[in-house]
mmCIF file of all heavy atoms in Angstrom:
data_model
loop_
_atom_site.group_PDB
_atom_site.id
_atom_site.type_symbol
_atom_site.label_atom_id
_atom_site.label_comp_id
_atom_site.label_asym_id
_atom_site.label_seq_id
_atom_site.Cartn_x
_atom_site.Cartn_y
_atom_site.Cartn_z
ATOM 1 N N LYS H 259 -80.050 -124.388 -146.257
ATOM 2 C CA LYS H 259 -79.917 -125.218 -147.402
ATOM 3 C C LYS H 259 -81.018 -124.751 -148.416
ATOM 4 O O LYS H 259 -80.969 -125.191 -149.564
ATOM 5 C CB LYS H 259 -80.053 -126.693 -147.064
ATOM 6 C CG LYS H 259 -81.391 -127.233 -146.594
ATOM 7 C CD LYS H 259 -81.200 -128.510 -145.771
ATOM 8 C CE LYS H 259 -81.882 -129.694 -146.464
ATOM 9 N NZ LYS H 259 -81.829 -130.904 -145.635
ATOM 10 N N TYR H 260 -82.039 -124.029 -147.954
ATOM 11 C CA TYR H 260 -83.138 -123.635 -148.843
ATOM 12 C C TYR H 260 -83.106 -122.205 -149.189
ATOM 13 O O TYR H 260 -83.989 -121.340 -148.993
ATOM 14 C CB TYR H 260 -84.549 -123.980 -148.260
ATOM 15 C CG TYR H 260 -84.799 -125.420 -148.112
ATOM 16 C CD1 TYR H 260 -84.473 -126.157 -146.993
ATOM 17 C CD2 TYR H 260 -85.312 -126.159 -149.222
ATOM 18 C CE1 TYR H 260 -84.802 -127.464 -146.841
ATOM 19 C CE2 TYR H 260 -85.596 -127.531 -149.155
ATOM 20 C CZ TYR H 260 -85.335 -128.194 -147.956
ATOM 21 O OH TYR H 260 -85.551 -129.377 -147.819
ATOM 22 N N MET H 261 -81.942 -121.755 -149.734
ATOM 23 C CA MET H 261 -81.761 -120.358 -150.171
ATOM 24 C C MET H 261 -82.772 -120.012 -151.140
ATOM 25 O O MET H 261 -83.047 -120.652 -152.177
ATOM 26 C CB MET H 261 -80.270 -120.197 -150.778
ATOM 27 C CG MET H 261 -79.183 -120.600 -149.847
ATOM 28 S SD MET H 261 -78.952 -119.324 -148.471
ATOM 29 C CE MET H 261 -78.182 -118.035 -149.425
ATOM 30 N N GLY H 262 -83.423 -118.759 -150.947
ATOM 31 C CA GLY H 262 -84.343 -118.332 -151.752
ATOM 32 C C GLY H 262 -85.755 -118.830 -151.649
ATOM 33 O O GLY H 262 -86.581 -118.481 -152.434
ATOM 34 N N ALA H 263 -85.967 -119.579 -150.648
ATOM 35 C CA ALA H 263 -87.405 -120.101 -150.274
ATOM 36 C C ALA H 263 -88.285 -118.955 -150.242
ATOM 37 O O ALA H 263 -87.966 -117.834 -149.677
ATOM 38 C CB ALA H 263 -87.375 -121.033 -149.049
ATOM 39 N N ASP H 264 -89.596 -119.070 -150.699
ATOM 40 C CA ASP H 264 -90.553 -118.015 -150.478
ATOM 41 C C ASP H 264 -91.141 -117.858 -149.092
ATOM 42 O O ASP H 264 -91.473 -116.628 -148.764
ATOM 43 C CB ASP H 264 -91.780 -118.276 -151.390
ATOM 44 C CG ASP H 264 -91.259 -118.390 -152.889
ATOM 45 O OD1 ASP H 264 -90.914 -117.390 -153.419
ATOM 46 O OD2 ASP H 264 -91.284 -119.450 -153.413
ATOM 47 N N TYR H 265 -90.980 -118.897 -148.361
ATOM 48 C CA TYR H 265 -91.617 -118.755 -146.872
ATOM 49 C C TYR H 265 -90.876 -119.786 -146.091
ATOM 50 O O TYR H 265 -90.746 -120.947 -146.449
ATOM 51 C CB TYR H 265 -93.120 -118.964 -146.826
ATOM 52 C CG TYR H 265 -93.648 -119.144 -145.472
ATOM 53 C CD1 TYR H 265 -93.552 -118.115 -144.463
ATOM 54 C CD2 TYR H 265 -94.410 -120.270 -145.015
ATOM 55 C CE1 TYR H 265 -94.124 -118.228 -143.271
ATOM 56 C CE2 TYR H 265 -94.991 -120.386 -143.820
ATOM 57 C CZ TYR H 265 -94.848 -119.296 -142.886
ATOM 58 O OH TYR H 265 -95.326 -119.553 -141.675
ATOM 59 N N VAL H 266 -90.361 -119.288 -144.916
ATOM 60 C CA VAL H 266 -89.651 -120.191 -144.018
ATOM 61 C C VAL H 266 -90.270 -120.187 -142.602
ATOM 62 O O VAL H 266 -90.463 -119.046 -142.044
ATOM 63 C CB VAL H 266 -88.110 -119.769 -143.870
ATOM 64 C CG1 VAL H 266 -87.455 -120.682 -142.911
ATOM 65 C CG2 VAL H 266 -87.408 -120.035 -145.285
ATOM 66 N N CYS H 267 -90.490 -121.229 -142.027
ATOM 67 C CA CYS H 267 -91.164 -121.290 -140.710
ATOM 68 C C CYS H 267 -90.368 -122.257 -139.857
ATOM 69 O O CYS H 267 -90.427 -123.556 -140.187
ATOM 70 C CB CYS H 267 -92.551 -121.710 -140.784
ATOM 71 S SG CYS H 267 -93.543 -121.765 -139.148
ATOM 72 N N ILE H 268 -89.707 -121.909 -138.834
ATOM 73 C CA ILE H 268 -88.919 -122.686 -137.926
ATOM 74 C C ILE H 268 -89.081 -122.185 -136.581
ATOM 75 O O ILE H 268 -89.540 -121.091 -136.319
ATOM 76 C CB ILE H 268 -87.477 -122.641 -138.311
ATOM 77 C CG1 ILE H 268 -86.882 -121.266 -138.490
ATOM 78 C CG2 ILE H 268 -87.173 -123.409 -139.735
ATOM 79 C CD1 ILE H 268 -85.447 -121.135 -138.925
ATOM 80 N N ASP H 269 -88.475 -122.912 -135.553
ATOM 81 C CA ASP H 269 -88.647 -122.462 -134.145
ATOM 82 C C ASP H 269 -87.441 -121.727 -133.801
ATOM 83 O O ASP H 269 -86.423 -121.534 -134.507
ATOM 84 C CB ASP H 269 -88.985 -123.647 -133.237
ATOM 85 C CG ASP H 269 -87.951 -124.618 -133.121
ATOM 86 O OD1 ASP H 269 -86.741 -124.427 -133.438
ATOM 87 O OD2 ASP H 269 -88.200 -125.791 -132.703
ATOM 88 N N SER H 270 -87.342 -121.098 -132.653
ATOM 89 C CA SER H 270 -86.253 -120.319 -132.207
ATOM 90 C C SER H 270 -84.982 -121.002 -132.128
ATOM 91 O O SER H 270 -83.825 -120.549 -132.548
ATOM 92 C CB SER H 270 -86.604 -119.486 -130.934
ATOM 93 O OG SER H 270 -86.940 -120.363 -129.891
ATOM 94 N N PRO H 271 -84.893 -122.297 -131.533
ATOM 95 C CA PRO H 271 -83.478 -122.898 -131.569
ATOM 96 C C PRO H 271 -83.098 -123.224 -132.969
ATOM 97 O O PRO H 271 -81.916 -123.073 -133.265
ATOM 98 C CB PRO H 271 -83.832 -124.293 -130.791
ATOM 99 C CG PRO H 271 -85.018 -123.923 -129.982
ATOM 100 C CD PRO H 271 -85.883 -122.949 -130.658
ATOM 101 N N GLU H 272 -84.038 -123.577 -133.869
ATOM 102 C CA GLU H 272 -83.687 -123.845 -135.354
ATOM 103 C C GLU H 272 -83.078 -122.603 -135.946
ATOM 104 O O GLU H 272 -82.164 -122.643 -136.785
ATOM 105 C CB GLU H 272 -84.865 -124.372 -136.070
ATOM 106 C CG GLU H 272 -85.286 -125.844 -135.603
ATOM 107 C CD GLU H 272 -86.620 -126.256 -135.969
ATOM 108 O OE1 GLU H 272 -87.420 -125.392 -136.378
ATOM 109 O OE2 GLU H 272 -86.965 -127.397 -135.707
ATOM 110 N N ALA H 273 -83.722 -121.460 -135.645
ATOM 111 C CA ALA H 273 -83.231 -120.131 -136.220
ATOM 112 C C ALA H 273 -81.805 -119.932 -135.680
ATOM 113 O O ALA H 273 -80.908 -119.452 -136.477
ATOM 114 C CB ALA H 273 -84.190 -119.050 -135.833
ATOM 115 N N ARG H 274 -81.582 -120.168 -134.444
ATOM 116 C CA ARG H 274 -80.250 -119.954 -133.877
ATOM 117 C C ARG H 274 -79.151 -120.841 -134.438
ATOM 118 O O ARG H 274 -78.137 -120.411 -134.778
ATOM 119 C CB ARG H 274 -80.327 -120.061 -132.333
ATOM 120 C CG ARG H 274 -81.104 -118.854 -131.704
ATOM 121 C CD ARG H 274 -80.866 -118.948 -130.133
ATOM 122 N NE ARG H 274 -81.676 -117.802 -129.566
ATOM 123 C CZ ARG H 274 -81.286 -116.647 -129.438
ATOM 124 N NH1 ARG H 274 -80.112 -116.249 -129.947
ATOM 125 N NH2 ARG H 274 -82.069 -115.763 -128.810
ATOM 126 N N TYR H 275 -79.588 -122.012 -134.684
ATOM 127 C CA TYR H 275 -78.660 -122.986 -135.330
ATOM 128 C C TYR H 275 -78.418 -122.489 -136.709
ATOM 129 O O TYR H 275 -77.220 -122.600 -137.118
ATOM 130 C CB TYR H 275 -79.309 -124.403 -135.461
ATOM 131 C CG TYR H 275 -79.138 -125.311 -134.242
ATOM 132 C CD1 TYR H 275 -80.264 -125.810 -133.556
ATOM 133 C CD2 TYR H 275 -77.854 -125.533 -133.712
ATOM 134 C CE1 TYR H 275 -80.104 -126.645 -132.476
ATOM 135 C CE2 TYR H 275 -77.734 -126.398 -132.594
ATOM 136 C CZ TYR H 275 -78.826 -126.962 -132.007
ATOM 137 O OH TYR H 275 -78.750 -127.695 -130.913
ATOM 138 N N ALA H 276 -79.383 -122.031 -137.453
ATOM 139 C CA ALA H 276 -79.156 -121.632 -138.778
ATOM 140 C C ALA H 276 -78.151 -120.557 -138.982
ATOM 141 O O ALA H 276 -77.405 -120.449 -139.920
ATOM 142 C CB ALA H 276 -80.446 -121.225 -139.434
#
Side-chain angles (χ1 to χ4, degrees):
K259 68 201 244 191
Y260 291 94
M261 299 288 287
D264 297 291
Y265 171 56
V266 174
C267 181
I268 52 181
D269 66 21
S270 54
E272 289 159 353
R274 291 189 181 278
Y275 276 123

